[in-house]
Each structure stands twice: as structure tokens, then as C-alpha cells.
Amino acid sequence: DAKTTQPNSMESNEEEPVHLPCNHSTISGTDYIHWYRQLPSQGPEYVIHGLTSNVNNRMASLAIAEDRKSSTLILHRATLRDAAVYYCVNSGGSNYKLTFGKGTLLTVNP
Amino acid sequence: GAVVSQHPSRVICKSGTSVKIECRSLDFQATTMFWYRQFPKQSLMLMATSNEGSKATYEQGVEKDKFLINHASLTLSTLTVTSAHPEDSSFYICSARDPDRGGYGYTFGSGTRLTVV
């Protein structure tokens, strides 16, 4: 299973953009890149996923490096509700199972 | 996205008893579901992959006789913690591949907080 590396924590100010980095240097060609976020005592929430091309949705944007060994989750305007642990996860194998790393704790300052 | 419903949200049981946790896919069929365990301040750890109509696949180090998984229908998977002990106290979460996201994004249940006393 491909492993991901993220900073333990990051801080942002409300209404400013946030760039959350992730390294996944051992990713294989068919592994998807996922981002989920989790609030305390809740299950993870889907944010975005992609394979090779950059992706946008109403929550965030995902920028994937050309060699796919890293990616960046972009929150265009952070709000207090975006404070959470963000997990960058790769999926692979016959069941495309997810193996979670330690994640990044994002703090958003008012 | 699709919704996975997990029940109960929290349960307290006595040491030595068994506890069943249900995970239901709402409005979609899930031939495969995944069970995770999360200890305080830690990340999610995949325990097993639940397969409809066949045996579950357990991750290395997870006792299959202790954590019984049944996936008898396309919308229901259950995890039974047998002979629970205090060290089994944890946050258990299920997930399934979300058909609304091409089957490659995942949707998660809200989790079950198990406390063994």
C-alpha cells in the first residue's frame, strides 16, 4: 500500500486560502489520490479524489504533480468549519482499499 | 454522495460480553464494505474488508475470531466484537465505495464509540 506523508499541523486565517501538501512517492500508476477530513468523534468526510489531472469541486481543488509523487489540497477560502484533520490517502489493490496516514490537523484562526 | 448509516453511535458493554455494530448502505448496494478502528489521537486503522456473500478479508494482526464480520446482504455489514475487553474500547467506523463518485470515492459511517467496562 502506498504511504503518504503530511505535515502534522498547519494554521490558517479565516477567509484565506490554504494549501495542504502531501507526498506519496511510492504511489503506483493505478492508485487514486484521495482527501478526507475528520472532525472529533465523527467519521471521515469525503473532500476530493483524483488520478492524474487536477480536480475541482465545490469544497476544494486538488492539484496533482506531473509525476504523481505529491499533491496539494487547496481550500480557496478557509472558514472556521474547515478546521479538522485532513487525510491524504492513496487507494490501490484489487479492492482499492484506503490506508490512512497520520493526517494534518488544520487550525483556522478567526 | 451516497450515505452509509452506522448503528449504534455509542455503546457501553461489560467485559466478556459481545457487541454488534451495524453498517447499512442507504439507497445503494455495497458488495464491499470496510471496517476501521481508531484510538484516541490516532489515525484510522483498517481492520478488514467485508465481502457480500463470502468471507471477510482481515488485515494482518487483526483477530478474525474476535472481530466477526458478516455481510449477508448488499446493504448490510455487521461487526461483532466478541468477548470484549477494555482494550477493545475504541471508535469503530465503516465505509463503502460511493457509486455517486464513480465508485472510487468512499463514504463513511458516523462511527461507533465502544466502551468496555
Side-chain angles (χ1 to χ4, degrees):
Chain A
D1 299 330
K3 294 183 179 179
T4 60
T5 305
Q6 299 175 251
N8 290 332
S9 62
M10 289 185 66
E11 230 176 287
S12 172
N13 295 320
E14 204 174 4
E15 298 191 3
E16 291 185 355
V18 182
H19 290 235
L20 297 167
C22 179
N23 288 320
H24 28 78
S25 57
T26 61
I27 192 171
S28 71
T30 56
D31 287 354
Y32 278 77
I33 299 161
H34 303 251
W35 284 83
Y36 294 85
R37 67 185 185 183
Q38 186 181 28
L39 294 172
S41 298
Q42 294 187 25
E45 177 189 23
Y46 171 88
V47 178
I48 201 166
H49 80 281
L51 186 59
T52 56
S53 303
N54 294 342
V55 185
N56 301 298
N57 66 23
R58 62 177 180 81
M59 288 181 71
S61 295
L62 174 60
I64 301 173
E66 197 170 332
D67 62 5
R68 296 199 345 116
K69 293 184 184 299
S70 65
S71 63
T72 302
L73 178 70
I74 303 165
L75 305 179
H76 296 285
R77 289 183 64 197
T79 69
L80 297 178
R81 288 179 295 179
D82 291 324
V85 177
Y86 284 78
Y87 293 101
C88 167
V89 194
N90 297 155
S91 63
S94 57
N95 273 323
Y96 287 91
K97 63 184 182 181
L98 303 179
T99 303
F100 283 76
K102 296 182 178 180
T104 296
L105 174 63
L106 174 66
T107 301
V108 180
N109 300 314
Chain B
V3 175
V4 166
S5 175
Q6 192 170 339
H7 178 81
S9 57
R10 56 180 66 238
V11 57
I12 300 173
C13 71
K14 291 185 177 181
S15 188
T17 62
S18 297
V19 173
K20 181 185 284 187
I21 302 169
E22 292 187 349
C23 181
R24 293 182 184 275
S25 57
L26 304 184
D27 299 325
F28 75 100
Q29 295 179 339
T31 56
T32 303
M33 290 186 176
F34 303 88
W35 287 96
Y36 295 83
R37 180 169 54 180
Q38 185 176 33
F39 292 109
K41 305 285 188 185
Q42 294 188 24
S43 184
L44 284 76
M45 185 194 79
L46 180 65
M47 299 175 66
T49 301
S50 171
N51 303 300
E52 187 269 336
S54 65
K55 292 183 179 180
T57 304
Y58 291 82
E59 295 300 302
Q60 191 172 8
V62 177
E63 301 175 59
K64 58 182 179 182
D65 293 332
K66 180 168 188 61
F67 299 100
L68 300 180
I69 290 173
N70 185 280
H71 196 152
S73 79
L74 288 170
T75 59
L76 175 64
S77 175
T78 60
L79 168 68
T80 301
V81 183
T82 63
S83 186
H85 291 285
E87 56 265 31
D88 298 323
S89 297
S90 188
F91 193 52
Y92 293 85
I93 308 166
C94 65
S95 79
R97 292 169 65 173
D98 187 343
D100 294 341
R101 300 192 175 103
Y104 294 107
Y106 291 74
T107 183
F108 289 80
S110 54
T112 297
R113 175 77 58 194
L114 170 64
T115 304
V116 185
V117 298

